[in-house]
Amino acid sequence: MNRKNVTIQDIANTANVSKSTVSRVLNDSTPVDAKKRAAVLKAMKNLDFKPNVFARILAGGRSMTLGIVTQNIGSPFYDSVTMGVINGLADTGYSPIIADGQWNQERELVAVRTLIERQVDGLIMVGGNLDSSTLREACHGVPVVQIARYLEDCKERCICIDNVAAAKRATEFLIEAGHRNIAHIAGISDHEDSIDRLKGYQQALTDANIVVRDELIVQGDFSAQSGVLALETLLLRGVAFSAVFAANDEMAFGVRLALFRAGKRVPEDVSIIGFDDQPNSAYMIPPLTTVSQPALEMGAAASKMLVSAIAEKPFEIPMLPVELVVRESVTRLR
Amino acid sequence: MNRKNVTIQDIANTANVSKSTVSRVLNDSTPVDAKKRAAVLKAMKNLDFKPNVFARILAGGRSMTLGIVTQNIGSPFYDSVTMGVINGLADTGYSPIIADGQWNQERELVAVRTLIERQVDGLIMVGGNLDSSTLREACHGVPVVQIARYLEDCKERCICIDNVAAAKRATEFLIEAGHRNIAHIAGISDHEDSIDRLKGYQQALTDANIVVRDELIVQGDFSAQSGVLALETLLLRGVAFSAVFAANDEMAFGVRLALFRAGKRVPEDVSIIGFDDQPNSAYMIPPLTTVSQPALEMGAAASKMLVSAIAEKPFEIPMLPVELVVRESVTRLR
DNA sequence: CTGTTAGCGCCTTCAC
DNA sequence: GTGAAGGCGCTAACAG
């Protein structure tokens, strides 16, 4: 721009070395004599040198930029994850660029391509639908970390929780409280999380010798509004139920509201359990029992993992605690 | 990278012109003969040419990147605004880079500097505390749009609502419903929004000839937790109140929960009104009456405005509808 | 270990 | 109107 920036040439001059040497200490790509190195470092500090990202990448280096592909910006859970990623990137020297896939394979692919075109050093996928071979191809070898989704063929790059186990645990909690007629509000039908949570629900029932009844299962789409509709559907069907396990908190909110409108008390008449432990869940009336999925931590872990992958350093996937958060929306029967 | 990208040289060759000419049609900086122009365009299409962002900026062009400075990622309102910005940028050719200021002037300044260093073509500030002269200086002439904050010295670049008027209207709604003892839970004390909303509350009371009583005003910090504490404080003070106006929905949620714990009914015993109309407000029990602030629209408007500013085209600040959303958390007295 | 030499892809004078 | 030439700041061979 207008203000002349100091370049490696400048610092090369004041340190009495060549540009290359400066470049070397900058990337410590090659060993450099300790004295010269010190001189360079000092010059850099004195002149307040900041490498030009664009020149650097043009010459074939790193862009120090990471791409984040989100889905449907505005959803509490995914937004939290995204924010976790951004926070995790603070002080790593990497800056995030965001693109939205909108849960649409085509747009998702465009998002990935845009990011790759911008020469991101790595990519973080938050959710998504793209099949892994397409994804891999679009990435041209740029490392990718996948959050909240399990890709069979690159498990070591996926950060996600065991939805089946978590959903099973939630359902078991209801069973242990004496509930037998437990309804389930499922999420988007072809979404892996929905499928797994439904599976966990079914397993818990089966293990407890309770018959899985289709009339107690309603299809939602993860939105609060769909929770309302789902519960109304349930009411319309006329089946008896003393508890509802919703595949996410949003739908649980909808269920709660529908019960309120129908004059049913929670938890006296119907118990509710959600999934995600989104921040507001603790402030529902009554506070919602739910499964906490550590969105921020998942995001942070992903960013660390990616940074390590770029540096070709090993990284151990941290234990991501998924726990049942017991609040007042569930009652013990009898 | 590995796959050779097509450069302007390539298309210059196939179109039988020079690189310069190609560059010219790319930026239409200088008139070019219609035929050559067509040939160039055709070649670009055929070869699927994509200009290299980095080379372009290194040579002094646009980076086609916009910076977004958010505050405290994780807050529903600001996140929504941010998402609005990102959505608004789709298909403009600009990509967003995000940095977090964390409601900390120092970090905010760092965020701005980082972004400027990355040669963003424009900057969007979502909230923030930096005084405008510092901000202006850090920007080195890069255009800035400020959201959800009113900067005296550049009104034409601020997208925000009239908090005083909106808060006044909310309070008047309670007064019209027959409430006289109306408590107010204020936000962070030196935050402009808090100040303005408090002002609106006071004005409404004064206009209705109701004395503003300090014991009915409690300081919060915009978090739900602080809403709980604020209401408990109010209860402790032992002052009578039939309604609470909280400076944002989050705190209203806290208020609601505290009332629940205290065995008070809403709205029979106490009415509540919030501010922001964040998505979950409609799913509270009972659904929360609040003031809707169009976060997504504000973000979208800001991005359009910034893109126009960069192109030095005029832009009219759109009417941002702020309206009272009446739901069941307020009762009419008598 | 270090300096020299080429570019990376594009924009911008400058002559023609 | 157009092409040639130089340079943006940095990295990556290449010889020493």
Side-chain angles (χ1 to χ4, degrees):
Chain A
M1 305 266 91
N2 38 12
R3 210 236 308 247
K4 235 184 202 158
N5 280 309
V6 334
T7 75
I8 55 171
Q9 185 59 268
D10 299 329
I11 89 112
N13 294 153
T14 83
N16 272 321
V17 294
S18 72
K19 288 197 314 181
S20 327
T21 303
V22 178
S23 173
R24 277 165 194 136
V25 344
L26 207 51
N27 311 285
D28 53 29
S29 45
T30 313
V32 169
D33 177 80
K35 282 187 182 171
K36 301 206 173 188
R37 170 186 216 78
V40 168
L41 253 20
K42 189 177 150 207
M44 299 212 290
K45 184 151 287 176
N46 288 340
L47 300 182
D48 189 32
F49 167 76
K50 312 215 164 148
N52 179 316
V53 191
F54 300 90
R56 172 176 275 187
I57 185 171
L58 185 56
R62 310 244 100 110
S63 68
M64 297 310 282
T65 304
L66 298 185
I68 302 181
V69 178
T70 60
Q71 307 295 334
N72 240 9
I73 276 169
S75 124
F77 174 70
Y78 290 101
D79 281 1
S80 287
V81 173
T82 304
M83 297 319 178
V85 173
I86 295 174
N87 284 340
L89 251 33
D91 309 315
T92 60
Y94 285 91
S95 300
I97 299 194
I98 296 184
D100 192 5
Q102 318 201 65
W103 285 118
N104 171 321
Q105 298 215 5
E106 209 170 313
R107 296 203 56 100
E108 193 178 341
L109 190 54
V110 171
V112 172
R113 292 229 175 94
T114 305
L115 260 16
I116 294 296
E117 222 165 74
R118 291 213 167 225
Q119 317 256 30
V120 292
D121 294 336
L123 210 56
I124 294 186
M125 307 291 300
V126 183
N129 272 326
L130 233 46
D131 61 289
S132 48
S133 58
T134 310
L135 176 59
R136 188 173 308 231
E137 193 186 323
C139 284
H140 291 293
V142 171
V144 181
V145 170
Q146 173 70 246
I147 308 184
R149 191 180 166 208
Y150 187 72
L151 295 179
E152 261 310 326
D153 52 351
C154 53
K155 317 179 187 200
E156 69 291 351
R157 287 293 169 76
C158 291
I159 296 204
C160 52
I161 61 163
D162 185 339
N163 280 293
V164 179
K168 186 170 175 225
R169 189 147 153 221
T171 310
E172 282 167 352
F173 179 74
L174 291 171
I175 296 172
E176 281 158 18
H179 295 274
R180 286 292 171 277
N181 299 313
I182 304 172
H184 178 57
I185 316 296
I188 298 172
S189 62
D190 60 350
H191 192 297
E192 290 173 54
D193 290 358
S194 313
I195 297 169
D196 287 351
R197 291 175 196 172
L198 173 59
K199 207 177 287 174
Y201 158 82
Q202 293 168 326
Q203 280 187 13
L205 293 183
T206 306
D207 286 6
N209 285 316
I210 299 175
V211 179
V212 174
R213 290 188 291 150
D214 282 348
E215 66 267 34
L216 278 174
I217 300 174
V218 189
Q219 186 70 48
D221 65 6
F222 284 131
S223 73
Q225 181 53 29
S226 79
V228 172
L229 294 176
L231 195 97
E232 287 170 349
T233 303
L234 220 45
L235 255 24
L236 235 51
R237 285 184 191 165
V239 283
F241 59 93
S242 66
V244 177
F245 166 40
N248 76 347
D249 283 1
E250 288 292 310
M251 293 197 297
F253 297 166
V255 165
R256 173 68 185 100
L257 182 60
L259 288 169
F260 173 70
R261 299 243 185 269
K264 307 262 185 204
R265 293 165 306 164
V266 175
E268 294 84 349
D269 300 326
V270 177
S271 291
I272 304 180
I273 191 162
F275 204 112
D276 280 353
D277 191 23
Q278 80 155 75
N280 285 322
S281 303
Y283 291 91
M284 288 289 128
I285 307 298
L288 183 67
T289 291
T290 181
V291 176
S292 83
Q293 203 180 168
L296 286 171
E297 287 78 0
M298 290 170 76
S303 57
K304 303 295 182 205
M305 180 182 229
L306 188 51
V307 169
S308 302
I310 293 172
E312 293 179 344
K313 283 179 189 162
F315 178 84
E316 200 174 328
I317 300 181
M319 266 295 298
L320 289 171
V322 177
E323 35 188 276
L324 196 62
V325 181
V326 179
R327 301 206 185 93
E328 296 102 304
S329 68
V330 174
T331 193
R332 179 166 285 277
L333 287 189
R334 227 118 320 149
Chain B
M1 309 261 87
N2 39 13
R3 208 238 305 250
K4 240 185 200 157
N5 280 309
V6 333
T7 75
I8 55 171
Q9 185 59 267
D10 298 330
I11 89 113
N13 294 153
T14 81
N16 271 320
V17 292
S18 72
K19 288 198 310 181
S20 327
T21 303
V22 178
S23 174
R24 278 167 193 134
V25 344
L26 207 50
N27 312 285
D28 53 30
S29 45
T30 312
V32 169
D33 177 82
K35 280 185 180 170
K36 301 205 172 185
R37 169 184 217 78
V40 168
L41 254 21
K42 188 177 154 207
M44 298 213 290
K45 183 150 288 176
N46 287 341
L47 300 182
D48 188 31
F49 167 75
K50 312 212 166 151
N52 179 318
V53 192
F54 301 90
R56 169 176 279 188
I57 185 172
L58 186 56
R62 308 244 103 109
S63 69
M64 296 312 281
T65 305
L66 298 186
I68 303 180
V69 177
T70 60
Q71 307 296 334
N72 240 11
I73 277 168
S75 123
F77 174 70
Y78 290 101
D79 282 2
S80 287
V81 173
T82 303
M83 299 317 178
V85 172
I86 295 174
N87 284 340
L89 250 33
D91 309 315
T92 60
Y94 285 92
S95 299
I97 300 195
I98 295 183
D100 192 5
Q102 319 201 63
W103 284 118
N104 171 321
Q105 298 213 6
E106 209 169 312
R107 296 203 55 100
E108 193 178 341
L109 189 54
V110 172
V112 172
R113 292 228 175 93
T114 306
L115 260 16
I116 294 296
E117 221 166 76
R118 290 209 169 228
Q119 317 256 29
V120 293
D121 293 337
L123 210 55
I124 294 185
M125 307 291 300
V126 183
N129 272 326
L130 234 45
D131 61 288
S132 49
S133 58
T134 310
L135 176 59
R136 190 173 306 230
E137 192 186 324
C139 284
H140 290 293
V142 171
V144 181
V145 169
Q146 172 71 247
I147 309 185
R149 191 182 166 206
Y150 188 72
L151 294 178
E152 261 310 327
D153 52 351
C154 54
K155 318 178 185 200
E156 69 290 352
R157 285 292 168 75
C158 292
I159 295 204
C160 52
I161 62 163
D162 185 339
N163 280 292
V164 179
K168 186 170 175 223
R169 188 147 156 220
T171 310
E172 282 168 352
F173 180 73
L174 291 171
I175 296 173
E176 281 159 18
H179 295 273
R180 286 293 171 274
N181 299 314
I182 304 172
H184 177 58
I185 316 296
I188 298 172
S189 61
D190 61 350
H191 193 297
E192 291 174 55
D193 291 358
S194 313
I195 297 170
D196 287 351
R197 289 174 199 173
L198 173 60
K199 205 176 287 176
Y201 158 81
Q202 293 168 326
Q203 279 187 13
L205 294 183
T206 305
D207 286 5
N209 285 315
I210 300 176
V211 178
V212 175
R213 291 187 291 147
D214 281 349
E215 67 265 35
L216 279 174
I217 301 174
V218 190
Q219 186 70 49
D221 65 4
F222 284 133
S223 73
Q225 181 54 30
S226 79
V228 173
L229 293 175
L231 195 97
E232 287 170 350
T233 302
L234 220 44
L235 253 24
L236 236 49
R237 285 186 189 164
V239 283
F241 58 92
S242 67
V244 177
F245 166 40
N248 76 345
D249 283 1
E250 288 292 309
M251 294 197 295
F253 297 166
V255 165
R256 173 69 185 100
L257 182 61
L259 288 168
F260 173 70
R261 299 242 185 269
K264 309 260 185 204
R265 294 165 304 164
V266 174
E268 294 83 351
D269 300 325
V270 177
S271 291
I272 304 180
I273 190 162
F275 203 112
D276 280 354
D277 192 24
Q278 79 155 76
N280 285 323
S281 303
Y283 290 91
M284 288 290 128
I285 307 298
L288 183 68
T289 292
T290 182
V291 176
S292 81
Q293 202 179 170
L296 285 170
E297 287 78 0
M298 290 169 75
S303 57
K304 302 297 183 205
M305 179 183 230
L306 188 51
V307 170
S308 303
I310 293 171
E312 293 178 345
K313 282 180 190 162
F315 179 82
E316 200 175 329
I317 301 182
M319 264 299 297
L320 289 170
V322 177
E323 35 187 278
L324 196 63
V325 182
V326 179
R327 301 206 185 95
E328 295 102 306
S329 69
V330 174
T331 192
R332 178 165 286 277
L333 287 189
R334 228 125 319 150

PDB file of all heavy atoms in Angstrom, chain A residues 12-28:
ATOM      1  N   ALA A  12      17.904  -7.880   5.235  1.00  0.00           N
ATOM      2  CA  ALA A  12      19.139  -8.507   4.759  1.00  0.00           C
ATOM      3  C   ALA A  12      20.254  -7.465   4.781  1.00  0.00           C
ATOM      4  O   ALA A  12      21.372  -7.732   5.229  1.00  0.00           O
ATOM      5  CB  ALA A  12      18.944  -9.036   3.348  1.00  0.00           C
ATOM      6  N   ASN A  13      19.942  -6.275   4.318  1.00  0.00           N
ATOM      7  CA  ASN A  13      20.914  -5.197   4.314  1.00  0.00           C
ATOM      8  C   ASN A  13      21.398  -4.866   5.717  1.00  0.00           C
ATOM      9  O   ASN A  13      22.594  -4.876   5.986  1.00  0.00           O
ATOM     10  CB  ASN A  13      20.301  -3.944   3.688  1.00  0.00           C
ATOM     11  CG  ASN A  13      19.998  -4.144   2.216  1.00  0.00           C
ATOM     12  OD1 ASN A  13      19.110  -3.516   1.672  1.00  0.00           O
ATOM     13  ND2 ASN A  13      20.705  -5.054   1.587  1.00  0.00           N
ATOM     14  N   THR A  14      20.464  -4.608   6.598  1.00  0.00           N
ATOM     15  CA  THR A  14      20.885  -4.191   7.939  1.00  0.00           C
ATOM     16  C   THR A  14      21.563  -5.319   8.703  1.00  0.00           C
ATOM     17  O   THR A  14      22.312  -5.066   9.631  1.00  0.00           O
ATOM     18  CB  THR A  14      19.716  -3.644   8.775  1.00  0.00           C
ATOM     19  OG1 THR A  14      19.010  -4.727   9.350  1.00  0.00           O
ATOM     20  CG2 THR A  14      18.781  -2.815   7.926  1.00  0.00           C
ATOM     21  N   ALA A  15      21.313  -6.563   8.305  1.00  0.00           N
ATOM     22  CA  ALA A  15      21.954  -7.664   9.028  1.00  0.00           C
ATOM     23  C   ALA A  15      23.200  -8.142   8.286  1.00  0.00           C
ATOM     24  O   ALA A  15      23.876  -9.071   8.729  1.00  0.00           O
ATOM     25  CB  ALA A  15      20.972  -8.814   9.212  1.00  0.00           C
ATOM     26  N   ASN A  16      23.465  -7.512   7.147  1.00  0.00           N
ATOM     27  CA  ASN A  16      24.634  -7.888   6.354  1.00  0.00           C
ATOM     28  C   ASN A  16      24.658  -9.350   5.929  1.00  0.00           C
ATOM     29  O   ASN A  16      25.663 -10.043   6.070  1.00  0.00           O
ATOM     30  CB  ASN A  16      25.923  -7.569   7.131  1.00  0.00           C
ATOM     31  CG  ASN A  16      26.368  -6.157   6.853  1.00  0.00           C
ATOM     32  OD1 ASN A  16      26.272  -5.678   5.715  1.00  0.00           O
ATOM     33  ND2 ASN A  16      26.816  -5.478   7.896  1.00  0.00           N
ATOM     34  N   VAL A  17      23.527  -9.794   5.443  1.00  0.00           N
ATOM     35  CA  VAL A  17      23.459 -11.145   4.889  1.00  0.00           C
ATOM     36  C   VAL A  17      22.661 -11.040   3.588  1.00  0.00           C
ATOM     37  O   VAL A  17      22.307  -9.950   3.170  1.00  0.00           O
ATOM     38  CB  VAL A  17      22.743 -12.117   5.843  1.00  0.00           C
ATOM     39  CG1 VAL A  17      23.548 -12.314   7.105  1.00  0.00           C
ATOM     40  CG2 VAL A  17      21.361 -11.624   6.163  1.00  0.00           C
ATOM     41  N   SER A  18      22.397 -12.162   2.996  1.00  0.00           N
ATOM     42  CA  SER A  18      21.610 -12.117   1.764  1.00  0.00           C
ATOM     43  C   SER A  18      20.140 -12.393   2.054  1.00  0.00           C
ATOM     44  O   SER A  18      19.780 -12.926   3.092  1.00  0.00           O
ATOM     45  CB  SER A  18      22.122 -13.160   0.787  1.00  0.00           C
ATOM     46  OG  SER A  18      21.761 -14.436   1.259  1.00  0.00           O
ATOM     47  N   LYS A  19      19.309 -12.027   1.105  1.00  0.00           N
ATOM     48  CA  LYS A  19      17.880 -12.291   1.226  1.00  0.00           C
ATOM     49  C   LYS A  19      17.616 -13.740   1.601  1.00  0.00           C
ATOM     50  O   LYS A  19      16.784 -14.048   2.457  1.00  0.00           O
ATOM     51  CB  LYS A  19      17.193 -12.022  -0.122  1.00  0.00           C
ATOM     52  CG  LYS A  19      17.082 -10.568  -0.490  1.00  0.00           C
ATOM     53  CD  LYS A  19      16.047 -10.350  -1.588  1.00  0.00           C
ATOM     54  CE  LYS A  19      16.159 -11.323  -2.750  1.00  0.00           C
ATOM     55  NZ  LYS A  19      15.139 -11.050  -3.792  1.00  0.00           N
ATOM     56  N   SER A  20      18.308 -14.628   0.909  1.00  0.00           N
ATOM     57  CA  SER A  20      18.076 -16.054   1.130  1.00  0.00           C
ATOM     58  C   SER A  20      18.244 -16.427   2.587  1.00  0.00           C
ATOM     59  O   SER A  20      17.443 -17.186   3.147  1.00  0.00           O
ATOM     60  CB  SER A  20      19.056 -16.865   0.304  1.00  0.00           C
ATOM     61  OG  SER A  20      19.354 -16.207  -0.890  1.00  0.00           O
ATOM     62  N   THR A  21      19.295 -15.906   3.183  1.00  0.00           N
ATOM     63  CA  THR A  21      19.544 -16.236   4.576  1.00  0.00           C
ATOM     64  C   THR A  21      18.379 -15.776   5.436  1.00  0.00           C
ATOM     65  O   THR A  21      17.914 -16.498   6.320  1.00  0.00           O
ATOM     66  CB  THR A  21      20.837 -15.566   5.055  1.00  0.00           C
ATOM     67  OG1 THR A  21      21.904 -15.985   4.203  1.00  0.00           O
ATOM     68  CG2 THR A  21      21.148 -15.969   6.467  1.00  0.00           C
ATOM     69  N   VAL A  22      17.924 -14.605   5.143  1.00  0.00           N
ATOM     70  CA  VAL A  22      16.778 -14.105   5.891  1.00  0.00           C
ATOM     71  C   VAL A  22      15.610 -15.057   5.720  1.00  0.00           C
ATOM     72  O   VAL A  22      14.960 -15.460   6.683  1.00  0.00           O
ATOM     73  CB  VAL A  22      16.376 -12.701   5.394  1.00  0.00           C
ATOM     74  CG1 VAL A  22      15.157 -12.227   6.148  1.00  0.00           C
ATOM     75  CG2 VAL A  22      17.527 -11.732   5.569  1.00  0.00           C
ATOM     76  N   SER A  23      15.367 -15.407   4.480  1.00  0.00           N
ATOM     77  CA  SER A  23      14.274 -16.327   4.187  1.00  0.00           C
ATOM     78  C   SER A  23      14.448 -17.607   4.989  1.00  0.00           C
ATOM     79  O   SER A  23      13.487 -18.166   5.516  1.00  0.00           O
ATOM     80  CB  SER A  23      14.255 -16.632   2.698  1.00  0.00           C
ATOM     81  OG  SER A  23      13.308 -17.628   2.415  1.00  0.00           O
ATOM     82  N   ARG A  24      15.689 -18.042   5.094  1.00  0.00           N
ATOM     83  CA  ARG A  24      15.950 -19.284   5.816  1.00  0.00           C
ATOM     84  C   ARG A  24      15.600 -19.202   7.295  1.00  0.00           C
ATOM     85  O   ARG A  24      14.959 -20.092   7.828  1.00  0.00           O
ATOM     86  CB  ARG A  24      17.416 -19.673   5.663  1.00  0.00           C
ATOM     87  CG  ARG A  24      17.661 -20.393   4.377  1.00  0.00           C
ATOM     88  CD  ARG A  24      19.125 -20.458   4.035  1.00  0.00           C
ATOM     89  NE  ARG A  24      19.276 -20.855   2.633  1.00  0.00           N
ATOM     90  CZ  ARG A  24      20.116 -20.285   1.789  1.00  0.00           C
ATOM     91  NH1 ARG A  24      20.893 -19.298   2.187  1.00  0.00           N
ATOM     92  NH2 ARG A  24      20.180 -20.699   0.539  1.00  0.00           N
ATOM     93  N   VAL A  25      15.996 -18.121   7.900  1.00  0.00           N
ATOM     94  CA  VAL A  25      15.654 -18.062   9.329  1.00  0.00           C
ATOM     95  C   VAL A  25      14.145 -17.892   9.477  1.00  0.00           C
ATOM     96  O   VAL A  25      13.539 -18.332  10.451  1.00  0.00           O
ATOM     97  CB  VAL A  25      16.423 -16.960  10.118  1.00  0.00           C
ATOM     98  CG1 VAL A  25      17.599 -16.471   9.342  1.00  0.00           C
ATOM     99  CG2 VAL A  25      15.528 -15.849  10.553  1.00  0.00           C
ATOM    100  N   LEU A  26      13.552 -17.252   8.492  1.00  0.00           N
ATOM    101  CA  LEU A  26      12.105 -17.042   8.543  1.00  0.00           C
ATOM    102  C   LEU A  26      11.363 -18.374   8.566  1.00  0.00           C
ATOM    103  O   LEU A  26      10.380 -18.544   9.289  1.00  0.00           O
ATOM    104  CB  LEU A  26      11.689 -16.227   7.319  1.00  0.00           C
ATOM    105  CG  LEU A  26      10.448 -15.385   7.448  1.00  0.00           C
ATOM    106  CD1 LEU A  26      10.517 -14.521   8.682  1.00  0.00           C
ATOM    107  CD2 LEU A  26      10.284 -14.526   6.210  1.00  0.00           C
ATOM    108  N   ASN A  27      11.815 -19.299   7.779  1.00  0.00           N
ATOM    109  CA  ASN A  27      11.113 -20.584   7.699  1.00  0.00           C
ATOM    110  C   ASN A  27      11.889 -21.713   8.346  1.00  0.00           C
ATOM    111  O   ASN A  27      11.558 -22.866   8.166  1.00  0.00           O
ATOM    112  CB  ASN A  27      10.897 -20.956   6.229  1.00  0.00           C
ATOM    113  CG  ASN A  27      10.320 -19.833   5.441  1.00  0.00           C
ATOM    114  OD1 ASN A  27       9.139 -19.532   5.547  1.00  0.00           O
ATOM    115  ND2 ASN A  27      11.164 -19.175   4.657  1.00  0.00           N
ATOM    116  N   ASP A  28      12.902 -21.406   9.080  1.00  0.00           N
ATOM    117  CA  ASP A  28      13.977 -22.313   9.410  1.00  0.00           C
ATOM    118  C   ASP A  28      13.953 -23.598   8.599  1.00  0.00           C
ATOM    119  O   ASP A  28      13.743 -24.678   9.073  1.00  0.00           O
ATOM    120  CB  ASP A  28      14.121 -22.572  10.918  1.00  0.00           C
ATOM    121  CG  ASP A  28      12.850 -23.024  11.563  1.00  0.00           C
ATOM    122  OD1 ASP A  28      12.053 -23.661  10.847  1.00  0.00           O
ATOM    123  OD2 ASP A  28      12.625 -22.767  12.730  1.00  0.00           O
TER     124      ASP A  28
END
